[in-house]
């Protein structure tokens, strides 16, 4: 199954008419760099993809291929996919907007806003450290009563941390008096035109969502939307994006889990549900915050990290990028920082990385050092 929005045809007439020959019943735009998408999906056993490209003029082409669920539910341009860690860049933009209006100081210790650690060195962490993954905090904790502690002097090294972005969300809540999800909605999702994107749906509704699948393309029945529903139903009846920290913790404990961020809903580091078209709109919106692309810490070779996303330089081009991976989910975006051309690929399969790497290489006609680093 392959669908392209009407907006796609209007925004990018060069894609031409949809072809009728395809792999697995999919139709693809002939001659486009993504024409191989259905074949790549079949080879990698990835059931469904939501994709979008942004041209240098800001025009968006977006579509969907394959299935939202391997049982035969087709993916469409409106199907919600788990953003996974692509959620982090969205929260980062909200933080930068709060910096713009003077509610957050990037270099003030986070402990001045919210109490989160008894460790002296850890309390020196700033929002700048959290945005750039230089806080020294772990990616995730999963043991009860495991405290937050920096592994090194904050600001001196790169260490990817989901915990750091959850802490950013807590800081956002303190300075605004709203939940972090509410702040993201009002400062990012709505102004960017991300009308489909959400941190979850209420009881009694069944939106079009992509299920998670393992490496062979089989449905992971306890992940994806099923996992969200279980966590949602363990908490209060109010929408999850309105849950307070105490309510998030209580819901996790109700499911027999420690009150740790990885078990909480919504997870601001990995809990957004979106479409590739919506995320492409975000990438256009985000470029009004150049701080995201400020090289802040070397990662390795040509790779640095900015204040919200990864950076790759070399061969006359510089890119912003980020990957995302939940169980049964693999995603990527890449933006040419000079031309502002971009690609977004969201997949609902454990092997989705093999699809998004091929898509990015084909679209930009280049190799990415980031892919070698990720492996």
């Amino acid at each position: 199954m392959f669908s392209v929005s009407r907006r796609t045809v209007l925004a990018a007439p060069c894609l031409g008419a949809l072809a009728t020959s395809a792999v697995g019943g999919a139709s693809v735009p002939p001659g486009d760099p993504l024409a191989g998408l259905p074949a790549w999906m079949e080879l990698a056993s990835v059931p469904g993809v939501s994709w979008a490209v942004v041209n240098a003029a800001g025009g968006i082409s977006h579509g969907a291929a394959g299935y939202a669920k391997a049982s035969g539910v087709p993916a469409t341009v409106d199907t919600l996919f788990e953003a996974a860690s692509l959620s982090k860049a969205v929260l980062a933009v909200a933080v930068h907007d709060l910096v713009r209006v003077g509610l957050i100081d990037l270099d003030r210790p986070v402990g001045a806003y919210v109490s989160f650690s008894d460790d002296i060195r850890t309390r020196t962490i700033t929002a700048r450290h959290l945005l750039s993954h230089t806080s020294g905090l772990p990616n995730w904790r999963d043991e009860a009563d495991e405290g937050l502690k920096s592994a090194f002097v904050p600001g001196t090294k790169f260490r990817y941390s989901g915990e750091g972005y959850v802490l950013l969300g807590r800081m956002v809540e303190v300075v605004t008096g709203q939940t972090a999800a509410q702040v993201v909605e009002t400062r990012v999702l709505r102004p960017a035109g991300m009308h489909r994107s959400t941190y979850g749906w209420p009881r009694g509704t069944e939106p079009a969502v992509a299920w998670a699948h393992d490496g062979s393309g089989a449905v992971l029945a306890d992940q994806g939307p099923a996992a969200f529903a279980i966590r949602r139903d363990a908490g209060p009846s109010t929408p999850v994006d309105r849950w307070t920290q105490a309510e998030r913790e209580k819901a996790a404990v109700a499911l027999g889990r420690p009150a740790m961020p990885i078990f909480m809903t919504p997870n601001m580091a990995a809990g957004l549900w979106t479409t590739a078209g919506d995320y492409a709109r975000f990438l256009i919106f985000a470029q009004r915050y150049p701080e995201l692309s400020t090289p802040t810490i070397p990662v390795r070779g040509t790779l640095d990290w900015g204040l919200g996303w990864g950076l790759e330089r070399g061969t006359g081009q510089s890119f912003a990028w980020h990957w995302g991976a939940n169980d049964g989910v693999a995603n990527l975006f890449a933006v040419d920082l000079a031309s502002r051309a971009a690609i977004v690929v969201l997949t609902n399969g454990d092997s989705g990385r093999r699809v998004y790497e091929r898509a990015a290489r084909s679209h930009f006609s280049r190799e990415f050092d980031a892919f070698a680093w990720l492996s």
Side-chain angles (χ1 to χ4, degrees):
M1 186 71 187
F2 191 101
S3 64
V4 181
S5 72
R6 183 170 182 271
R7 183 180 176 187
T8 298
V9 178
L10 294 174
C14 61
L15 295 180
L18 298 183
T20 56
S21 60
V23 175
S27 297
V28 299
D32 186 82
L34 297 185
L37 190 59
W40 306 333
M41 293 166 61
E42 184 180 54
L43 289 167
S45 298
V46 172
V49 169
S50 181
W51 59 268
V53 295
V54 181
N55 64 31
I60 299 173
S61 303
H62 62 131
Y67 297 94
K69 193 173 185 180
S71 60
V73 179
T76 75
V77 293
D78 292 326
T79 301
L80 292 171
F81 282 67
E82 291 181 75
S85 285
L86 300 197
S87 306
K88 293 181 175 68
V90 178
L91 176 62
V93 167
V95 170
H96 284 298
D97 199 60
L98 293 172
V99 171
R100 178 184 63 83
V101 298
L103 288 179
I104 289 178
D105 181 338
L106 287 181
D107 297 308
R108 186 182 184 192
V110 174
Y113 298 96
V114 56
S115 177
F116 71 95
S117 177
D118 295 327
D119 180 68
I120 295 177
R121 183 169 67 184
T122 304
R123 291 205 303 267
T124 67
I125 289 172
T126 66
R128 188 181 302 276
H129 297 146
L130 298 176
L131 287 166
S132 59
H133 293 288
T134 59
S135 67
L137 297 179
N139 191 19
W140 296 112
R141 299 168 294 156
D142 58 12
E143 299 293 333
D145 302 321
E146 184 181 353
L148 276 176
K149 188 174 182 180
S150 297
F152 48 78
V153 176
T156 60
K157 299 178 184 178
F158 177 87
R159 186 189 193 190
Y160 190 79
S161 175
E163 293 274 357
Y165 269 73
V166 172
L167 182 56
L168 270 177
R170 291 183 61 193
M171 181 176 66
V172 165
E173 293 181 346
V174 169
V175 302
T176 64
Q178 297 179 297
T179 67
Q182 287 176 297
V183 173
V184 169
E185 181 182 359
T186 57
R187 293 185 178 270
V188 184
L189 303 187
R190 287 179 182 172
M194 301 171 71
H195 301 303
R196 291 281 299 162
S197 300
T198 180
Y199 285 96
W201 47 93
R203 294 180 175 96
T205 61
E206 296 182 4
V209 295
W211 286 70
H213 298 79
D214 65 19
S216 66
V219 175
L220 292 171
D222 59 345
Q223 300 297 325
F228 166 77
I230 290 171
R231 294 184 178 190
R232 176 201 61 201
D233 294 348
S237 59
T238 52
V240 296
D241 59 0
R242 303 313 194 250
W243 288 4
T244 65
Q245 175 71 6
E247 289 170 332
R248 294 191 292 265
E249 292 177 352
K250 186 176 180 180
V253 171
L255 292 173
R257 300 288 194 175
M260 296 291 185
I262 194 171
F263 303 120
M264 294 182 198
T265 299
N267 184 324
M268 297 306 298
L272 184 68
W273 292 79
T274 190
T275 69
D278 260 16
Y279 207 88
R281 296 180 190 98
F282 163 72
L283 292 176
I284 294 172
F285 178 81
Q287 293 185 53
R288 65 183 64 188
Y289 300 93
E291 298 86 356
L292 291 160
S293 301
T294 301
T296 304
I297 190 73
V299 175
R300 186 171 298 176
T302 63
L303 305 180
D304 301 300
W305 212 267
L307 294 178
W309 53 31
L311 301 168
E312 179 170 330
R313 62 189 185 280
T315 63
Q317 288 179 293
S318 294
F319 287 84
W321 69 282
H322 209 298
W323 84 104
N326 287 352
D327 289 335
V329 174
N331 308 321
L332 177 84
F333 76 75
V335 183
D336 184 327
L337 292 174
S339 71
R340 300 196 172 188
I343 187 170
V344 182
V345 181
L346 311 177
T347 82
N348 63 351
D350 261 338
S351 301
R353 179 180 164 189
R354 286 184 278 170
V355 174
Y356 72 57
E357 287 187 0
R358 289 288 295 270
R361 289 180 180 120
S362 297
H363 182 69
F364 286 111
S365 300
R366 60 164 288 144
E367 282 290 341
F368 285 88
D369 291 346
F371 299 157
W373 177 71
L374 282 175
S375 66

